[in-house]
Amino acid sequence: MHNALTPVLNQLNKVVLGKSHQVKLSVACLLAKGHLLIEDLPGMGKTTLGQAIARVFGLEFQRIQFTSDILPADIIGANIYDKNDSQFKFHAGPIFSQLILGDEINRATPKAQSALLEAMEEGQVTVEGETFPLPDPFFVIATQNPSHQVGTYPLPESQLDRFLFRLELGYPDPSFERVLLKGQSGRQNLHEIEPLLDLEKLAEIQSTVTKITVSEHLLNYVIGLIKATRQSPDFEHGLSPRGGLALIAAAKAWAFLDGRDYVLPEDIQQIFIPTAAHRLEFSQKGSGSVHQLVDELLEQVKVPS
Amino acid sequence: MQAPELNIQREGIIPMLIAIQAIVLFPLWFEIPVWITGITLLLLATKWLTYKFEVKLPSWLVLIFVFSALAGVFLYFRTISGRDAGVGLICLMYGFKLLESKSYRDAALTLFISFFIMVMAFLFNQSIAMGLYLLVAMTAILSGLVALNSIQGVKGIKHLGRISGVALLQALPIMLVLFFLFPRLPGPLWAMPDSSQGGTGISDSMSPGDIGSLTTFDDPAFRVKFEGEIPSASDMYWRGMVFSNYDGLTWREGARSPTRTANIPSYEPLYSYRVQMEPNKSRWLFGLEQLAESPKGTFLFNDFTWRRPQKITSQFSYAAEAVRYEYQGVALSEFHRRVNLQLPATGNAETRQWSQELYNQSGSTNDFIQRILNIINQQEFRYTLTPEVLEDEVVDGFWLGTREGFCEHYAGAFVFIMRAAGIPARVVTGYQGGEYNPYGDFYLIRQSDAHAWTEVWIDNQGWVRIDPTAAIHPTRVEADLRNRANRRDDWFSDKTIGFDLPQDFLQKLRMRWDAVKSFWDDSLMSYGQEQQNDWLSKLGIRSNQWRYLGYALVATLLLSGLTLGFWLLRKSSRRDQIEKYYELIKAKLVKFGVEIPDHFGPMALLELLSAEHTELHKKFATPIKYYIKIRYQTESTHSADNEWIKRFKAQVKKL
């Protein structure tokens, strides 16, 4: 079944040049029914990736540009008085869409942020006591600028936890940079993307992913990793049980993309940084970036024989 | 520590505890006083209501109830110890404990107490039915424990029953070992000394009507299994007590003392047998005449009766031998002669005179006895269980008047006549006959087989058994008594009247059931010190060597522990072996100069080999792939295909 995804990955790689690992992670995130947070500087192709995923999976797409004055109603929608009917009517906001691209989410105030994040958590929206279910699938790709930039409201840890992955796209390789600079950007390919999957197929794949074998022996390794995060002096606190569940779910999706029906320690290692890094908090003693620390941690934990 | 999900407020837990308590108390409700039964029922109902309507009883109120119940028990029994008061008190406290239960710990405690309280029912009734009921109760309690400790709680009675059934089966070997080897005190553990119930059985004195009231009871008195030769049922006189003291109305035991073996005449053994006695709350044992060496822990008295220091309050079994004494040249001691000639100074003058006249006409003691037996046989002496009641001059009234009665009238009168003529004689009571059970190969002696006969001292013949009742002509025996007497073979010896009981289906069924019951009582319930010693001596362990018993117990427990441990180890060692073999692969690769970081999984290792060490990859790829199959492609290594494990090991060995 994973064959169906090979053309998907190919298409995406044509649009987002030289970022095949990040592309694969993004697809894995969607298969694991998780939400994706892309953190990087402006102009790195975050939005392009989001749009490409929406098109290739044939998902309804809405983009919400977060600004410092955006209000919850701008995202969710509001009851507006209808003159003809003489009554209030709910006008759905942009959130009622299968794929949301929340651009620069950390530029909005916490109030607006939580409107989105609550919808992500609960799969439904409540306006003035009336509940409206969100579409299924509901997949959020949010982007944010590095939090040290001016005019940002960093997301608190509790809300970062709602994203399965946090990715950094990073600068492109010099070879791809050259292609970009020549003006042959992937953006042009964006419009040529045809939907390669439908919703039914996506749901089928998602349910197959949940059935992938996770052996007792693999759990030994995962438990070892989680324990290491909790005991390491580099982090204020370790991974929560929800973090552990996220690891398993993500590793299953990754194994599926690799064409296996069982999870290997290598799968865990591949998804460990995007899954764990944003859930771990620096302690004062830590030095270096979170990525470095998590990488070190991965190297320290032995894969049981 | 239990998980928070295991709390008692979960759905179904409290109704389950109530149900289990009801099951456990059910057999006790018929034994404890009615008011305690009522209160325990009330407590169960209260618990249910407080659960249903989610009310909480104030703890001071519960406390008041507890103390008033305690006071009630004390006022009713005048004590709080002993079986009946103790059981009543425990039942009440059990009810209160459930009422105030509000945590997991309370629930677990009530369930564990249930095991103890369940067994209390055995103090009152040790029947097979009770055994089966307790088995059910035990399964229920176990199921309760399972439900309390599982996340699913009370769901799927079948599932819970299966788990506890399996647990019970697993405990079976340990149970058997403990049952057979745990050092026993003399007598079963549930013998309780202060039962208020009276026992049935013959009494320690004989006044008119005593045995008559017994002969209507069909309850078993004891069972007998013979080894080797078996006497005919008409010869089975089961000697119990000897009465030599007569006050004109009641026969009592005379002066008697434990005898020394040196004082008994020589004898030869006739039959050996084993008796399984029902509890009768008395001290005397029954043996086939004549009695000699007393069973272990009992005493032979100088009137040839056996006696036990403790009352028989539970199943009691003993082995014994019937003997024939050699009285040639043995004289009756002056003391015994005096004792066995004793008569009240006055009363029954007519019979005294009658006796002396008849004796004077007779040529010898034997002739005298024969004449009397002939009189009983030929004249209008009747055997009935409902004779006319005589107030005084009992012997005169019977022998020369009504001439109707049953064994004790005849035995009493006969001894009186003998003594009046100056011949030492005494009354013997016990049982006569027995019903053979072909399924269990034993004789059942019932209370209705109770009997009284006599012994007369004849020089050079010693104590001779004379049964005057047997001399009655069969036509003068009440019809239903004849039927009953039929069990004693041809007791009223006249072949013309046959009383063959129909060997119908019900009869056989009854006998089969009795055989099962005999096994239950004989082999299980009364498995005490003696039987344990017997059993152990068959294994070569001598009796009373408790130390060996202890060793055997410890050894058995150790052995079973080791077996279990070995089995568990073997299971986990299979997993460890895979680890060992994989480490072997890695060690070999290191030898070939491959550096393997700790955090490399098998797939990373494969990729490393294929990228940098193509030769090694060819060699090592297959075992590593098997390793992946075993470790990661199946849920757990235990469920991995044995074939894979074999191939993996073979591949590694080839390297």
Side-chain angles (χ1 to χ4, degrees), chain A residues 213-218 262-266 269 298-299 301-305, chain B residues 579 582-583 586 598-604 627-628 631-636:
Chain A
T213 304
V214 176
S215 75
E216 291 280 331
H217 199 64
L218 184 96
Y262 54 93
V263 180
L264 284 173
E266 284 79 0
Q269 289 166 357
L298 270 179
E299 282 178 23
V301 178
K302 185 177 185 289
V303 176
S305 289
Chain B
E579 183 178 334
Y582 188 64
E583 293 285 344
K586 290 210 278 190
D598 267 355
H599 68 281
F600 264 39
M603 191 58 89
Y627 174 79
I628 291 174
R631 279 302 204 208
Y632 297 106
Q633 237 168 312
T634 41
E635 287 284 337
S636 79

Side-chain angles (χ1 to χ4, degrees), chain B residues 281-299:
Chain B
K281 312 281 178 337
S282 61
R283 290 193 170 87
W284 52 85
L285 275 62
F286 296 91
L288 188 62
E289 291 196 320
Q290 293 290 331
L291 281 56
E293 212 174 307
S294 61
K296 242 186 89 203
T298 63
F299 300 101

Side-chain angles (χ1 to χ4, degrees), chain A residues 31-301:
Chain A
L31 297 189
K33 293 186 178 176
H35 303 294
L36 181 64
L37 179 65
I38 305 176
E39 183 181 87
D40 221 323
L41 297 166
M44 303 289 262
K46 296 176 296 224
T47 315
T48 313
L49 178 63
Q51 284 178 336
I53 289 175
R55 274 174 174 268
V56 86
F57 280 98
L59 299 174
E60 230 178 275
F61 175 73
Q62 280 283 356
R63 180 179 163 163
I64 307 169
Q65 179 65 50
F66 283 76
T67 56
S68 55
D69 56 357
I70 198 168
L71 292 173
D74 297 331
I75 301 166
I76 293 168
N79 282 331
I80 292 167
Y81 187 73
D82 189 321
K83 249 194 213 158
N84 299 335
D85 286 7
S86 308
Q87 60 181 9
F88 281 95
K89 258 193 176 170
F90 180 67
H91 284 246
I95 202 164
F96 288 89
S97 191
Q98 288 163 336
L99 196 156
I100 310 290
L101 182 67
D103 237 349
E104 297 184 303
I105 187 172
N106 60 343
R107 281 185 64 193
T109 53
K111 195 173 177 181
Q113 285 172 0
S114 40
L116 174 67
L117 292 162
E118 272 171 39
M120 279 163 61
E121 183 69 10
E122 281 156 35
Q124 61 184 31
V125 164
T126 306
V127 177
E128 288 171 20
E130 206 175 340
T131 300
F132 303 95
L134 290 169
D136 184 39
F138 179 68
F139 182 44
V140 174
I141 301 178
T143 72
Q144 70 172 349
N145 300 320
S147 46
H148 52 79
Q149 286 209 328
V150 179
T152 58
Y153 298 89
L155 292 174
E157 279 97 24
S158 61
Q159 296 196 333
L160 281 175
D161 204 33
R162 308 229 165 114
F163 292 98
L164 183 64
F165 284 168
R166 186 182 66 180
L167 293 181
E168 281 164 26
L169 288 177
Y171 299 118
D173 281 353
S175 57
F176 290 107
E177 187 97 62
R178 181 180 298 272
V179 177
L180 280 170
L181 289 175
K182 275 184 180 170
Q184 298 160 342
S185 91
R187 253 217 138 87
Q188 291 157 356
N189 293 332
L190 192 60
H191 307 290
E192 290 160 21
I193 289 182
E194 291 291 319
L196 291 173
L197 290 174
D198 53 17
L199 292 181
E200 224 169 89
K201 188 77 182 163
L202 179 64
E204 198 187 331
I205 290 174
Q206 281 175 336
S207 92
T208 310
V209 164
T210 57
K211 286 173 197 144
I212 278 179
T213 304
V214 176
S215 75
E216 291 280 331
H217 199 64
L218 184 96
L219 290 183
N220 290 341
Y221 178 57
V222 175
I223 288 165
L225 272 177
I226 293 173
K227 208 167 151 192
T229 66
R230 291 174 189 168
Q231 287 170 350
S232 166
D234 293 336
F235 307 112
E236 197 67 51
H237 47 71
L239 274 183
S240 63
R242 198 200 287 177
L245 283 173
L247 281 178
I248 299 288
K252 280 179 172 178
W254 189 265
F256 179 82
L257 285 175
D258 266 2
R260 271 178 284 110
D261 62 352
Y262 54 93
V263 180
L264 284 173
E266 284 79 0
D267 300 325
I268 299 283
Q269 289 166 357
Q270 294 288 352
I271 52 88
F272 192 70
I273 291 176
T275 317
H278 63 289
R279 295 169 203 263
L280 294 170
E281 199 186 335
F282 263 125
S283 83
Q284 300 289 340
K285 294 167 208 152
S287 58
S289 76
V290 190
H291 284 199
Q292 271 175 327
L293 291 173
V294 175
D295 239 356
E296 274 170 30
L297 190 115
L298 270 179
E299 282 178 23
Q300 283 161 8
V301 178

Side-chain angles (χ1 to χ4, degrees), chain B residues 318-389:
Chain B
Y318 52 90
E321 275 187 336
V323 305
R324 182 188 294 125
Y325 279 108
E326 184 50 69
Y327 279 106
Q328 193 67 44
V330 178
L332 191 64
S333 72
E334 198 44 50
F335 171 75
H336 277 112
R337 180 175 294 276
R338 210 172 55 236
V339 165
N340 289 302
L341 281 173
Q342 172 269 340
L343 280 181
T346 56
N348 298 309
E350 286 178 48
T351 309
R352 286 180 207 238
Q353 199 188 340
W354 181 90
S355 163
Q356 276 149 14
E357 278 168 15
L358 188 70
Y359 183 67
N360 291 336
Q361 291 164 22
S362 316
S364 66
T365 308
N366 279 331
D367 182 38
F368 177 56
I369 293 168
Q370 200 50 51
R371 277 168 189 249
I372 295 174
L373 292 181
N374 280 341
I375 288 170
I376 294 173
N377 187 254
Q378 301 304 324
Q379 297 189 15
E380 281 293 302
F381 280 94
R382 296 183 170 279
Y383 185 81
T384 173
L385 285 184
T386 49
E388 206 176 300
V389 179

